Amino acid sequence: MSLRFLIKLKIRWAINDIQKIYYPVLAAFGVPVNVIAITILVWGKCGLSKCVTNYLVAMAAADLLVIIFDLILRQIPIAYRAEFLFLHYVPLCNIHAVILYAATDCSVWFTVMFTFDRFVAICCQKLKSRHCTKKTACVVLGTVTVLSCLKNIFWYFMYYHQYWLFNDPWFCKVPQNVITSIAWTIVELMHYIITPLFPFILILLLNTLTVRNILVANRARRRLRGPTTGDSPIDPEMGSRKKSMIMLFIISGNFIVLWVMFIAYSILKRFDWLGYPVPLPTFVREIGFMLQLLSCCTNTFIYAVTQRKFREELKNGIMRPFTNLVKVI
């Protein structure tokens, strides 16, 4: 047994031990913060347009579903495999997989659609009045949801209904003809290209175009306002663009940073089944899962950092039970 193999094995064991603490803590934290985010956004007192609010609520709801179906019902049972052996007798794994991957697709593509909506609002003024509306947001979100569900139906036929309780690479048992089939390998590879590789590229492209447009527009406004006003911060249009840009880039950047390892592993590992092996240690996959699931718990902090009214509503929501208790006493 080589020294390199032993090192990889010890890293894998260490990560498994970390996951036994990390996943329960993340679940205990992720569920309430997403519920709080949805509640505050639905109140509609954050000063955001109904269009933006719809996207943010949908993103938080999709993240909550990912936490439930991936983190709580998949990763925690795998981390505590001995305590969840009864799942081998629960014939729901293929249905679980369809819901899990559909929720993940929704979470990713809602982020893409929000990025595109902000791109239109900032860069395409003629299209803004037609696209950046509550009705359009509902249609886009509904369409993405339906397409995500339809796209992931193939998992029902690819998996057995029995749980495997491993991520090697599947968590359900898989028929032998699927494991050795080039057709199924290509289908699965396309699944990971559509989500999350393609969204990753789209978000980078849209953000690049948005930055370019904002810089050009800001230079033009400075020239129009003249040298006396210069970079005065009282320009409401530039202030609005700055706030939109900050929230957009933090949300998009959060997705990119926390998903990049999972994307790289998912794509490269599938080439093994196509006869082009790429040597990657399994702990890379586990770290990718950990970071990907963390991305479902961070948006509430992003709203709190970028939105003053969201912070105020969050503070009011936390203090309201104590205020009511004081009134009763």
Side-chain angles (χ1 to χ4, degrees):
M1 189 177 292
S2 68
L3 179 61
R4 186 176 179 182
F5 177 80
L6 284 174
I7 292 173
K8 289 180 180 179
L9 192 60
K10 288 183 177 180
I11 293 174
R12 175 64 186 273
W13 288 345
I15 290 174
N16 288 345
D17 290 337
I18 292 171
Q19 286 175 336
K20 290 182 178 181
I21 301 172
Y22 175 81
Y23 283 144
V25 170
L26 193 62
F29 174 78
V31 171
V33 298
N34 278 289
V35 171
I36 290 169
I38 293 169
T39 304
I40 293 174
L41 290 167
V42 168
W43 283 345
K45 298 180 181 179
C46 296
L48 301 171
S49 68
K50 291 183 178 179
C51 172
V52 171
T53 299
N54 279 7
Y55 281 112
L56 297 183
V57 169
M59 288 161 62
D63 286 344
L64 180 60
L65 289 176
V66 173
I67 290 170
I68 293 171
F69 286 99
D70 196 344
L71 176 57
I72 297 176
L73 298 180
R74 176 191 183 184
Q75 300 299 347
I76 290 178
I78 290 173
Y80 289 91
R81 193 172 300 109
E83 289 77 10
F84 286 88
L85 290 177
F86 68 90
L87 287 178
H88 287 302
Y89 305 100
V90 179
L92 295 174
C93 195
N94 50 356
I95 298 174
H96 180 183
V98 172
I99 298 172
L100 185 159
Y101 292 122
T104 303
D105 280 6
C106 285
S107 176
V108 171
W109 281 99
F110 287 168
T111 304
V112 175
M113 293 299 105
F114 172 71
T115 305
F116 179 74
D117 179 85
R118 293 301 86 198
F119 166 76
V120 171
I122 295 171
C123 305
C124 309
Q125 295 301 311
K126 292 182 180 179
L127 186 59
K128 178 180 176 180
S129 59
R130 285 180 293 165
H131 183 273
C132 301
T133 64
K134 179 181 178 180
K135 181 179 179 181
T136 301
C138 291
V139 171
V140 169
L141 293 170
T143 302
V144 169
T145 302
V146 171
L147 291 177
S148 296
C149 293
L150 292 175
K151 167 184 170 290
N152 288 287
I153 288 177
F154 80 88
W155 294 103
Y156 181 87
F157 303 100
M158 179 176 174
Y159 289 167
Y160 280 136
H161 58 261
Q162 292 175 297
Y163 284 91
W164 175 239
L165 291 183
F166 285 95
N167 280 322
D168 289 329
W170 307 285
F171 70 105
C172 300
K173 289 189 176 181
V174 183
Q176 187 62 33
N177 65 315
V178 170
I179 295 176
T180 57
S181 170
I182 293 295
W184 277 114
T185 301
I186 293 173
V187 168
E188 189 182 9
L189 182 61
M190 290 302 299
H191 164 78
Y192 286 104
I193 290 174
I194 295 172
T195 306
L197 180 61
F198 189 45
F200 188 92
I201 295 170
L202 279 178
I203 288 174
L204 284 176
L205 176 62
L206 289 170
N207 282 344
T208 302
L209 294 174
T210 302
V211 170
R212 178 179 176 277
N213 183 276
I214 288 174
L215 293 177
V216 171
N218 285 350
R219 284 198 294 266
R221 287 185 67 82
R222 290 192 186 100
R223 287 196 297 267
L224 289 173
R225 297 184 72 206
T228 56
T229 55
D231 295 330
S232 173
I234 62 174
D235 185 349
E237 179 65 24
M238 290 179 68
S240 176
R241 286 178 180 176
K242 183 178 179 180
K243 289 180 181 178
S244 296
M245 183 175 66
I246 290 172
M247 183 168 69
L248 169 64
F249 290 169
I250 294 178
I251 291 176
S252 301
N254 173 70
F255 169 79
I256 290 170
V257 170
L258 296 181
W259 273 81
V260 65
M261 186 174 290
F262 179 80
I263 292 170
Y265 185 90
S266 298
I267 298 299
L268 294 177
K269 194 62 178 176
R270 270 33 184 203
F271 281 99
D272 286 356
W273 299 100
L274 294 175
Y276 304 97
V278 180
L280 287 173
T282 55
F283 65 78
V284 174
R285 177 192 62 216
E286 297 304 317
I287 295 173
F289 280 132
M290 294 166 71
L291 293 176
Q292 176 226 330
L293 290 168
L294 178 62
S295 71
C296 297
C297 306
T298 53
N299 280 348
T300 300
F301 287 101
I302 293 172
Y303 307 150
V305 169
T306 60
Q307 298 294 317
R308 178 180 58 82
K309 290 186 177 180
F310 185 92
R311 290 195 298 272
E312 292 175 356
E313 289 300 315
L314 179 60
K315 181 180 177 180
N316 292 337
I318 294 172
M319 296 303 297
R320 189 171 290 116
F322 299 101
T323 304
N324 293 338
L325 181 62
V326 170
K327 289 180 180 179
V328 171
I329 296 174

